[in-house]
């Protein structure tokens, strides 16, 4: 889950009016109700309306009755009131009110701080004080959940490109789904474990053995894999069997297959408190499709928008020479994805992003029995005596 995750910054992206604030309010209430160990601070930006007309925006300080005017349409102000004030489009921005809120938030301190900022947008970044506050949060160890506005402004781009950070993008089509999906990042009954590695590492054998051993230990678990046996997974397998490598078509199909997987298998199992053991997940997409030249950041955002974060990534590490020997031994003809040069890039990609997750590296040259025994010890320790 996000709260047990190496990445402590969570940015919600999306166009104006798609429901970013509504989603953040939902998550705020969820965190407040179920994660009492956190001290939550921050603000929500609300519209000010007269009938159907939007008049401006106000800042609502969380866990407080305090409200401040952030911006108002120029037509509602006298010319002398507008003079020397910054503006964005039709709106005059009250920088001094935003900075009052920042002054208050800068005084917050505690061991388990969780800041919620709605939003980091083109109005807010007019304040140098606000920008410095956000920079300090990014460079700190506190949790930050923020909405980030659209635009090519340098500071907004800097925030969106911040690594490490967890990002998802809200649309009108996915905003209802995201409530259910993101709830699992703050309130999760089950565990999600994915087995990853290059071709030839023995992922399927290991994943199946782990699943069987967990069942023996009394863990209520589900075994699954990607590509799935669903409608889009079957299409992916057909394409890969034919040796085709249309990267954009596969990108779209993998996303559709993953969405089917999440909605039909992963979310229902986690909600029931089950452990889900996966033979490949979206990390394979990052590693393999990233090696085809697709932009890593885009792949990360579109996949983590729909796919719950794994509680643990188990990476089977195998030297390329041994992997290549195993692949050649089981097939007469190598697919594009099994060529040595390609797998070298895949291995480099895994090395790049594994630190974004809670992960365990396993020596895939050892026997399955040795590795399962070691993994069970780690799981029992990490998840506080699950097998007792």
């Amino acid at each position: 889950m996000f709260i047990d995750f190496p990445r402590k910054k969570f940015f919600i992206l999306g166009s104006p009016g798609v429901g970013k604030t509504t989603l953040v309010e939902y998550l705020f209430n969820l965190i407040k109700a179920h994660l009492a160990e956190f001290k939550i601070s921050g603000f929500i930006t609300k519209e000010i309306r007269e009938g159907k007309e939007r008049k401006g925006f106000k800042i609502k300080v969380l866990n407080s009755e305090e409200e401040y005017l952030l911006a108002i349409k120029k037509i509602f102000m006298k010319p002398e009131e507008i003079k020397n004030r910054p503006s964005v489009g039709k709106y005059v921005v009250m920088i001094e009110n935003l900075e009052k809120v920042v002054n208050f938030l800068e005084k917050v301190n505690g061991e388990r701080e969780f800041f919620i900022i709605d939003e980091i947008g083109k109005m807010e970044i007019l304040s140098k004080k606000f920008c410095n506050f956000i920079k300090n949060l990014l460079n700190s160890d506190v949790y930050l959940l923020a909405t980030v506005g659209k635009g090519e402004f340098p500071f907004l781009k800097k925030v969106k490109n911040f690594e490490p950070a967890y990002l998802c993008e809200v649309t009108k089509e996915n905003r209802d789904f995201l409530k259910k999906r993101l709830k699992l990042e703050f309130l999760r009954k089950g565990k999600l474990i994915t087995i990853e590695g290059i071709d030839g590492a023995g992922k399927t054998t290991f994943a199946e053995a782990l699943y069987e051993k967990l069942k023996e230990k009394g863990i209520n678990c589900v075994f699954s894999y990607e590509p799935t046996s669903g409608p889009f997974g079957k299409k992916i397998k057909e394409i890969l069997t034919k040796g085709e490598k249309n990267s954009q078509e596969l990108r779209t199909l993998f996303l559709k297959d993953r969405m089917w997987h999440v909605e039909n298998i992963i979310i229902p199992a986690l909600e029931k408190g089950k452990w889900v053991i996966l033979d490949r997940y979206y990390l394979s997409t990052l590693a393999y499709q990233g090696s085809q030249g697709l932009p890593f950041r885009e792949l990360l955002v579109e996949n983590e928008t729909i796919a719950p974060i794994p509680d643990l990534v188990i990476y089977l590490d195998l030297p390329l020479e041994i992997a290549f020997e195993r692949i050649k031994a089981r097939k007469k003809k190598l697919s594009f994805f099994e060529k040595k040069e390609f797998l070298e890039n895949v291995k480099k990609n895994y090395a790049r992003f594994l630190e974004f997750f809670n992960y365990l590296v396993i020596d895939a040259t050892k026997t399955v029995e040795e590795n399962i025994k070691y993994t069970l010890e780690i799981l029992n320790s990490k998840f506080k005596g699950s097998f007792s």
Side-chain angles (χ1 to χ4, degrees):
M1 295 191 296
F2 175 70
I3 57 171
D4 298 315
F5 204 42
R7 288 178 272 167
K8 293 187 175 182
K9 314 307 182 211
F10 180 3
F11 301 138
I12 296 177
L13 314 177
S15 300
V18 297
K20 298 193 299 294
T21 296
T22 301
L23 183 58
V24 167
E25 284 187 292
Y26 169 78
L27 294 176
F28 162 63
N29 289 323
L30 190 72
I31 296 166
K32 187 176 180 180
H34 297 283
L35 300 173
E37 69 270 26
F38 286 102
K39 181 178 182 180
I40 306 172
S41 304
F43 64 85
I44 299 288
T45 303
K46 294 278 201 176
E47 292 183 347
I48 301 171
R49 287 189 172 272
E50 286 188 356
K52 294 184 179 181
E53 183 180 10
R54 186 167 66 191
K55 186 176 179 181
F57 298 92
K58 63 182 177 180
I59 297 171
K60 174 71 173 68
V61 180
L62 297 176
N63 295 318
S64 165
E65 298 300 318
E66 297 292 319
E67 291 185 349
Y68 297 90
L69 178 65
L70 173 64
I72 190 166
K73 278 185 178 177
K74 295 174 183 176
I75 59 172
F76 295 104
M77 297 185 71
K78 297 176 181 178
E80 58 270 23
E81 294 175 322
I82 298 174
K83 189 177 180 181
N84 297 326
R85 286 188 177 277
S87 63
V88 173
K90 301 176 182 179
Y91 298 92
V92 176
V93 183
M94 310 299 176
I95 294 295
E96 68 276 16
N97 288 341
L98 174 63
E99 294 186 347
K100 287 178 185 177
V101 175
V102 173
N103 287 335
F104 172 76
L105 295 179
E106 284 180 331
K107 298 174 184 176
V108 172
N109 57 71
E111 290 185 3
R112 297 284 274 176
E113 296 174 43
F114 201 124
F115 283 90
I116 296 178
I117 305 295
D118 174 48
E119 74 174 347
I120 305 171
K122 52 190 176 183
M123 290 184 182
E124 290 80 6
I125 63 174
L126 291 172
S127 166
K128 185 176 180 180
K129 186 176 185 67
F130 175 81
C131 292
N132 287 335
F133 174 66
I134 297 300
K135 285 179 188 176
N136 289 335
L137 289 183
L138 293 180
N139 294 322
S140 74
D141 200 40
V142 304
Y143 288 89
L144 171 63
L145 168 61
T147 59
V148 184
K150 289 280 187 179
E152 293 300 309
F153 302 93
F155 188 77
L156 294 184
K157 290 176 72 174
K158 183 177 181 179
V159 171
K160 284 183 276 192
N161 291 329
F162 178 79
E163 286 190 5
Y166 170 44
L167 301 93
C168 77
E169 185 156 12
V170 187
T171 64
K172 289 183 179 179
E173 292 74 28
N174 73 7
R175 59 191 181 189
D176 291 332
F177 161 77
L178 279 178
K179 283 187 178 181
K180 186 175 185 179
R181 175 258 173 284
L182 292 179
K183 179 180 179 181
L184 291 170
E185 304 306 347
F186 299 96
L187 193 65
R188 183 181 298 185
K189 294 180 180 179
K191 303 295 180 190
L192 179 58
I193 300 171
T194 177
I195 316 304
E196 297 286 343
I198 62 173
D199 289 87
K203 294 178 297 300
T204 301
T205 302
F206 179 87
E208 290 176 344
L210 179 61
Y211 165 70
E212 293 297 335
K213 189 59 70 172
L214 287 173
K215 284 201 303 180
E216 287 179 19
K217 296 285 186 180
I219 300 294
N220 189 356
C221 53
V222 172
F223 175 76
S224 192
Y225 47 84
E226 292 190 357
T228 71
S229 295
F232 301 108
K234 290 178 181 177
K235 179 64 176 174
I236 292 170
K237 290 171 186 174
E238 288 174 10
I239 292 174
L240 296 179
T241 301
K242 293 176 183 176
E244 299 172 8
K245 56 175 184 177
N246 185 320
S247 57
Q248 288 298 340
E249 181 184 9
L250 282 171
R251 178 181 183 175
T252 301
L253 283 171
F254 269 110
L255 278 174
K256 289 181 177 180
D257 185 47
R258 189 154 294 126
M259 186 70 168
W260 181 91
H261 197 194
V262 167
E263 288 188 304
N264 291 280
I265 296 175
I266 295 175
I267 288 180
L270 292 177
E271 287 179 336
K272 293 175 183 175
K274 297 181 180 181
W275 288 35
V276 182
I277 311 301
L278 297 181
D279 176 8
R280 292 198 185 277
Y281 195 31
Y282 68 87
L283 285 84
S284 289
T285 292
L286 300 179
Y288 281 77
Q289 294 189 359
S291 296
Q292 288 181 276
L294 294 177
F296 172 77
R297 198 67 171 173
E298 288 182 16
L299 290 172
L300 188 67
V301 175
E302 66 188 19
N303 280 279
E304 292 196 328
T305 293
I306 64 174
I309 300 167
D311 291 277
L312 182 66
V313 176
I314 299 176
Y315 178 72
L316 300 184
D317 189 31
L318 188 70
L320 279 168
E321 295 72 20
I322 299 176
F324 198 57
E325 288 173 9
R326 290 182 183 180
I327 294 167
K328 286 196 295 184
R330 72 190 185 197
K331 285 187 177 182
K332 293 182 179 179
K333 184 179 179 182
L334 298 180
S335 74
F336 168 77
F337 298 102
E338 295 169 327
K339 298 293 178 64
K340 193 171 183 179
E341 317 82 69
F342 185 79
L343 289 180
E344 285 176 351
N345 288 327
V346 170
K347 196 173 175 70
K348 288 177 183 176
N349 278 341
Y350 272 120
R352 173 189 174 186
F353 62 70
L354 270 179
E355 64 180 8
F356 286 5
F357 301 86
N358 292 317
Y359 70 96
L360 173 67
V361 176
I362 296 291
D363 182 354
T365 64
K366 293 184 178 180
T367 66
V368 174
E369 291 74 19
E370 285 179 290
N371 283 332
I372 290 295
K373 181 181 178 182
Y374 174 64
T375 301
L376 290 175
E377 290 172 357
I378 298 296
L379 291 177
N380 197 39
S381 172
K382 179 176 178 58
F383 301 128
K384 299 178 182 177
S386 298
F387 314 139
S388 300

